[in-house]
Amino acid sequence: MREKPILVTKSTLPPIDEFMEMLQPIWDSAWLTNMGEYHKRLEYELLRYLDVEKIVLFTNGHLALEFVFQAMQLSGEVITTPFSFVSTTHAIVRNNLTPVFCDIRADDYTMNAAHIESLITEKTAAILPVHVYGNLCDVEEIERIAKKYNLKVIYDAAHTFGETYKGVGVGNFGDASMFSFHATKVFHTIEGGAITTSDEKLRLHLDYLKNFGIADQETTLYVGGNAKMNEFQAVMGLCNLRHLEENIQKRKELCAYYREKLDNIAGIVLNTYREDVTYNYAYMPVRILEKQCGFTRDMLFTALCKRNIIARKYFYPCINELDCYKHTFDACLTPTASEISRQIITLPIYPDLEKSVIDEIVDVIRELGKR
Ligand SMILES: *Cc1c(COP(=O)(O)O)cnc(C)c1O
């Protein structure tokens, strides 16, 4: 048995010399945060990398999402998905808005746009879909509905850093998109996040909000908070950006290796990849259909744990089944999300994952199937 566990992901780190070299200017200037030189440089590089018009950096992705709702000054209901990380719904609730859960599609786990119109009421203010595991939402249909009912669209794009759809950066869809640069994401700044938008007013509003609503020394325009990205975070981001393409390429190869090995096993449903999307391969989700393969997701999870391979039941439970929400919402209204959350497992994937670990995982799956 291996001593160190294999976790579902492992944070990428740049060569330590690259990071250290960039620290000297911080010591020289003694400028540690509050939109310093590295913050500006990272903003500039991310604008180009994500191919978006405007960007606002934050200390994490969750606060970025909270602030974008505050900036839009919405009230009422927000249609969202229960198949996501809790942050998505928390951002709505913490802004005194009411989440309305829309079920997901079984093929790519994103919000089922065909259900949205039936959930719209007089109180609906916005739609908050999630590009789950890097799978793009039905952005065209969501845009059509949003225009028809005059709703804002904010995408949780935490899983889609650097992806494009039909050659367009994913941060260009909707009124705004949130990216997370958490340590576990494909691109990270230790903790960090951003909002991308084409709306200059929104950009400026967010710039103020993340710094207490302060516009200049004598002017405070809004009741803001504090969610600024500091210079050390920005340095980590600038270093990581240099190695990103190479890391995504490695992830792509590992994903292909998994797919080749798992392709012909009954009851194992792999993620579908579309021709018109460039992916970042952040996750390796697999659905386990008990009837066809003879074992459950939980049995696989446990069998892997015995080998010290810690996969994740991500996302399980669904958000509307979590303790803090289950008494307020009825998960029976989103049956596909509930079912898939019981079948899904995300397997380890990160740039330096050894292929022998994938072989081992595939062996575990084959062994379970034989019983
Ligand atoms: C990571 C993540 C977030 C939160 O981002 P943080 O930077 O950790 O605050 C929100 N939504 C989804 C789908 C995520 O995966």
Side-chain angles (χ1 to χ4, degrees), residues 60-62 84-85 87-88 130 156 158-159 178 180 182 185 192 314:
N60 61 56
H62 177 75
S84 182
F85 182 51
S87 166
T88 314
V130 181
D156 180 332
H159 293 184
M178 179 278 282
S180 164
H182 183 255
K185 305 295 206 263
Y314 191 65

Side-chain angles (χ1 to χ4, degrees), residues 101-242:
F101 292 105
C102 180
D103 210 353
I104 60 169
R105 301 195 287 206
D107 57 354
D108 66 5
Y109 321 120
T110 66
M111 183 182 281
N112 191 337
H115 293 188
I116 296 176
E117 290 198 77
S118 68
L119 298 171
I120 293 175
T121 70
E122 252 147 44
K123 293 188 197 144
T124 309
I127 310 174
L128 171 52
V130 181
H131 301 306
V132 185
Y133 308 132
N135 294 333
L136 224 73
C137 296
D138 188 347
V139 290
E140 284 111 354
E141 179 62 5
I142 291 169
E143 187 180 333
R144 184 192 69 77
I145 296 167
K147 281 227 168 82
K148 183 171 165 191
Y149 295 92
N150 193 25
L151 306 173
K152 295 279 185 198
V153 180
I154 300 107
Y155 282 104
D156 180 332
H159 293 184
T160 37
F161 186 86
E163 294 193 1
T164 63
Y165 172 56
K166 295 183 179 167
V168 178
V170 294
N172 291 290
F173 300 105
D175 296 280
S177 293
M178 179 278 282
F179 291 91
S180 164
F181 309 151
H182 183 255
T184 54
K185 305 295 206 263
V186 163
F187 164 79
H188 78 86
T189 59
I190 311 172
E191 292 267 6
I195 294 293
T196 61
T197 181
S198 57
D199 181 345
E200 174 56 18
K201 264 199 197 148
L202 179 64
R203 186 201 67 78
L204 195 62
H205 198 162
L206 287 170
D207 251 352
Y208 294 150
L209 281 180
K210 73 174 183 185
N211 188 24
F212 306 101
I214 295 171
D216 64 43
Q217 278 198 30
E218 298 181 8
T219 320
T220 297
L221 293 172
Y222 308 106
V223 185
N226 181 4
K228 302 185 295 291
M229 178 183 280
N230 69 50
E231 289 292 273
F232 293 82
Q233 289 172 291
V235 166
M236 183 59 89
L238 287 164
C239 290
N240 278 334
L241 215 44
R242 293 182 199 149

